[in-house]
Amino acid sequence: MLTSRRRTAVIMALAALASTAAAPARQESYAAPAAVPGLTGASSLPARYSAVERGIRRALAAAEEAGDTGRLKALPGLLAPGRRFLSFDPRGHGRAVEVVGDLARAHRVAVVVPGADGLLTNFDSWKWAGGGARALHRQAAATSPGTRLAVVAWLGYDSPSTRSPAVLTGGRAEDGARGLTRFLTGLHRVNGGAGIALLCHSYGSVVCAKAAPRLGRLPVDAIALYGSPGVGVRRASALASGRSPAARIWAGRSSGDWTRFVPKVRVAGLGHGHDPAAPSFGALRFDAGSGPHSAYLRPGSRSLRNLTLIALGRDSEVTRD
């Protein structure tokens, strides 16, 4: 076990490494997205989907003009028939929020909040938001045929790079928490009867932990934190919303996840604090299997099965750690 002094040394070493490895800023080739219709109810969805699709097409044209090979490879897939996006911003590394399933008629909604290194160019990989959301939706259909579950892939914030100093601080997470709260408020206007589960991976768990105290009036009944580098509270009870009954707080870490070696401390503004997967935290711990850090939503994995059951609200069937 690391002593306090050694934990501090590790955090400082990580900060120095991230600072020296930070990628240079890229020249911006993409315009800000045009305004889209607000999420005022179920009837607002078709216009919103159409407006965002037009934004993706504009970004594809800009990628062609700029010769952006990564975007030229990724963006056509986002325009495939049947795909529906609630928001899209091509600036920087990009943001995108996709819906898989019927959001307006769903009985439950799972919101996948990704961690660091989320990009438009890797959005469709099962390791990341879009591909992971589709894997979870397929697993739900196989687990509980007929269940009306919608899954949202929420890359709605500037996901930090694991090679940047930003990943060691909560600044991006605070911005993300504000955006997530606004999004969930709009989601509730679209479908006021659906229970909501937040599935929060890695740095996304920091986002969800910062958002949790703001969700008291929203029907968020489950928050799962997995592959977490730490969260800023000591106990799971601090994350349960003010609703009655309180949200169930789940936590998991696979045995092959490198974050088990990350010191769960906060020193001089660096680090993220307490480990939600530790027994002392008081979360409901689910079996996350033995995969690596990026494999929690891998098709066929134990972690995907358990996260799907959490999303469906079938708590008694979740295998516990």
Side-chain angles (χ1 to χ4, degrees):
M1 181 176 295
L2 291 173
T3 65
S4 177
R5 181 175 296 177
R6 288 179 178 176
R7 288 178 179 175
T8 301
V10 171
I11 288 287
M12 294 305 182
L14 287 171
L17 176 63
S19 180
T20 57
R26 52 182 275 174
Q27 184 175 357
E28 188 57 70
S29 302
Y30 300 92
V36 298
L39 292 175
T40 57
S43 62
S44 68
L45 287 176
R48 176 94 170 208
Y49 292 146
S50 295
V52 176
E53 180 183 337
R54 290 192 294 272
I56 298 173
R57 293 189 184 280
R58 286 192 294 270
L60 179 56
E64 291 172 345
E65 183 176 347
D68 187 338
T69 55
R71 298 287 179 89
L72 287 173
K73 183 177 180 180
L75 294 183
L78 306 189
L79 293 166
R83 297 192 70 172
R84 292 169 294 185
F85 286 82
L86 287 170
S87 66
F88 176 84
D89 187 340
R91 293 173 295 176
H93 293 302
R95 302 185 186 192
V97 178
E98 182 180 15
V99 175
V100 185
D102 188 342
L103 184 60
R105 299 177 63 247
H107 290 154
R108 292 196 59 77
V109 179
V111 180
V112 176
V113 181
D117 295 328
L119 313 168
L120 287 180
T121 51
N122 63 26
F123 185 82
D124 275 342
S125 168
W126 57 261
K127 297 179 181 180
W128 305 102
R134 288 193 295 281
L136 191 138
H137 194 263
R138 288 192 296 269
Q139 179 71 31
T143 301
S144 185
T147 297
R148 298 209 303 243
L149 172 74
V151 184
V152 175
W154 191 82
L155 181 57
Y157 76 113
D158 289 330
S159 167
S161 167
T162 52
R163 300 178 63 202
S164 77
V167 78
L168 295 175
T169 73
R172 299 281 183 92
E174 181 61 37
D175 291 342
R178 288 193 291 267
L180 181 59
T181 303
R182 288 192 298 270
F183 171 74
L184 293 174
T185 300
L187 188 157
H188 187 50
R189 286 195 293 264
V190 168
N191 184 338
I196 301 170
L198 300 181
L199 308 182
C200 316
H201 176 235
S202 192
Y203 191 87
S205 69
V206 186
V207 174
C208 289
K210 288 181 177 295
R214 312 172 191 188
L215 306 179
R217 296 185 179 182
L218 297 171
V220 175
D221 55 27
I223 301 175
L225 313 170
Y226 51 101
S228 176
V231 293
V233 297
R234 291 180 176 273
R235 306 286 290 177
S237 57
L239 300 179
S241 70
R243 296 177 63 249
S244 180
R248 299 178 300 280
I249 309 300
W250 294 87
R253 175 174 291 111
S254 65
S255 61
D257 190 336
W258 57 262
T259 60
R260 68 189 188 276
F261 299 119
V262 174
K264 307 303 186 294
V265 295
R266 183 169 175 79
V267 178
L270 298 174
H272 299 295
H274 299 276
D275 184 0
S280 60
F281 190 78
L284 301 168
R285 295 194 300 159
F286 68 91
D287 183 355
S290 58
H293 179 66
S294 59
Y296 287 91
L297 297 179
R298 176 188 288 168
S301 66
R302 195 179 314 163
S303 51
L304 176 62
R305 176 186 179 276
N306 280 328
L307 286 166
T308 301
L309 291 169
I310 291 169
L312 291 169
R314 292 168 54 168
D315 297 1
S316 64
E317 299 173 55
V318 177
T319 54
R320 304 287 287 274
D321 187 0

